[in-house]
Amino acid sequence: MTLRLRQIGDPILTQVAEPVSHFRDPDLHRLIESMLSTLKDSNGVGLAAPQVGSLLQVLIVASRPNPRYPDAPQMQPLVMINPQLLAASSEQVLGWEGCLSVPDRRGLVARSREVEVEYYTPQGSRQRVVWQDFPARIFQHEYDHLIGRVFLQRHP
Ligand SMILES: O=C(O)C[C@@H](Cc1ccccc1)C(=O)SCC(=O)c1ccccc1
Ligand SMILES: [Zn+2]
């Protein structure tokens, strides 16, 4: 089922998501399936649960080569539950971003070039990953969604 993508102005996008506590909850797995199909239908490279109305710490990173990042890796969508940013390089890079919740807007955003992340898979196993460049950028964009930050949004 494809879920409605919340747009800028929807208060849920400025709230902080809660950690997942029950990995065997069938609602969690229904949410993950819905996010994967929403991501596919929207042709995005990332998605965070608040964007589909769920204040849970679930995000997906799905880098693929594209006109702005032609050497981006082609990734199977990676579902990350309760992600934690363990380290972020002080070296930052400016790059173009879009947001499925802010249609028709592109913006230049400074992000750490490298991140180290710890997360849980839908099966509940703890993993660590180190990303650079576009996957690192996508992660930081999605991680912002989990703490109620939307790119280019200036709080009045
Ligand atoms: O709103 C989102 O979280 C999805 C967003 C993720 C993102 C794109 C670009 C940089 C960082 C994070 C999108 O997928 S926007 C639409 C899109 O498909 C796209 C935009 C720019 C480059 C490649 C794809
Ligand atoms: Zn976004």
Side-chain angles (χ1 to χ4, degrees):
M1 176 183 95
T2 292
L3 299 169
R4 173 171 68 88
L5 266 167
R6 306 302 175 92
Q7 299 302 293
I8 195 84
D10 187 322
I12 198 167
L13 291 175
T14 61
Q15 287 165 35
V16 176
E18 295 292 318
V20 168
S21 43
H22 300 292
F23 282 78
R24 280 188 294 280
D25 180 348
D27 286 344
L28 173 68
H29 296 281
R30 266 192 288 278
L31 169 68
I32 291 168
E33 286 317 309
S34 304
M35 286 177 69
L36 285 164
S37 66
T38 305
L39 179 66
K40 196 156 149 280
D41 293 353
S42 60
N43 206 19
V45 289
L47 190 67
Q51 292 180 280
V52 291
S54 166
L55 279 177
L56 284 176
Q57 290 179 13
V58 181
L59 64 82
I60 304 175
V61 174
S63 165
R64 64 168 187 274
N66 60 88
R68 286 203 193 282
Y69 300 89
D71 49 5
Q74 177 73 31
M75 274 175 68
Q76 281 304 315
L78 183 66
V79 179
M80 305 177 101
I81 296 174
N82 299 344
Q84 282 189 311
L85 188 56
L86 299 180
S89 63
S90 49
E91 183 197 355
Q92 300 217 318
V93 182
L94 260 184
W96 288 100
E97 298 188 9
C99 184
L100 296 172
S101 299
V102 187
D104 313 323
R105 286 291 301 274
R106 288 274 184 269
L108 269 175
V109 181
R111 299 286 189 186
S112 292
R113 198 180 85 72
E114 179 173 283
V115 293
E116 182 178 10
V117 181
E118 182 169 276
Y119 66 95
Y120 288 83
T121 65
Q123 293 72 35
S125 82
R126 192 169 60 170
Q127 307 287 331
R128 263 194 206 194
V129 67
V130 176
W131 275 322
Q132 292 86 23
D133 305 323
F134 194 46
R137 174 173 298 279
I138 299 170
F139 173 80
Q140 292 170 84
H141 179 111
E142 305 311 330
Y143 192 66
D144 274 356
H145 277 304
L146 298 188
I147 50 178
R149 270 214 295 257
V150 184
F151 96 131
L152 296 186
Q153 185 182 29
R154 295 276 170 271
H155 287 286

